[in-house]
Amino acid sequence: MFTSSMRMPKKTAYNRRVIEVEHGSFTPLIFSTAGGMGKEAIRYHERLAALIANKRGEEYNHVITFIRRRLRFSILRTTLMALRGTRKPTTKYKDRFSIADLDMNLIQYE
């Protein structure tokens, strides 16, 4: 689903710095807005679900279903917020600044 042309530039850009500076590794988790995952993201979530299931003594299929559900709702929430904006009022800074305070020495042409 995801080509290597989508993930390799990001991985190449960060991997060298992470190895040299932080002595770790970098794995980009690539998702589509429809909830699809790249190969490395799938492996990451499978490993995470296995560790959580083992630690909590729960069944793997319940844990992976929970993780996927939470992930998809997070992607959906982010996508909707990007499309329609937030519901928070935008009048937070209304009284803080006025147009007269923003003098930029502009000359009005007639």
Side-chain angles (χ1 to χ4, degrees):
M1 181 176 189
F2 297 98
T3 63
S4 61
S5 65
M6 296 171 119
R7 63 182 168 86
M8 287 310 291
K10 184 179 232 182
K11 188 169 185 172
T12 304
Y14 292 108
N15 203 26
R16 181 180 298 145
R17 182 188 62 84
V18 171
I19 289 171
E20 292 174 0
V21 176
E22 299 175 13
H23 306 292
S25 64
F26 177 74
T27 302
L29 301 179
I30 302 171
F31 302 97
S32 74
T33 55
M37 295 187 272
K39 291 179 184 178
E40 292 174 336
I42 291 171
R43 283 194 304 254
Y44 168 78
H45 284 94
E46 288 173 351
R47 174 79 171 137
L48 178 65
L51 291 172
I52 292 173
N54 188 25
K55 181 177 180 179
R56 294 185 179 179
E58 297 179 14
E59 292 185 31
Y60 172 82
N61 60 344
H62 292 155
V63 176
I64 193 73
T65 301
F66 175 78
I67 290 173
R68 288 176 180 161
R69 186 181 310 122
R70 291 287 304 257
L71 175 68
R72 289 195 174 114
F73 274 107
S74 295
I75 291 172
L76 177 64
R77 187 180 315 115
T78 304
T79 303
L80 289 175
M81 195 178 298
L83 291 174
R84 72 169 185 216
T86 182
R87 293 184 180 192
K88 294 182 181 178
T90 58
T91 59
K92 183 176 180 181
Y93 301 107
K94 181 180 176 185
D95 298 329
R96 189 176 282 187
F97 299 106
S98 67
I99 298 296
D101 294 336
L102 301 175
D103 182 21
M104 297 180 204
N105 297 324
L106 298 177
I107 300 170
Q108 181 178 4
Y109 289 103
E110 295 180 19

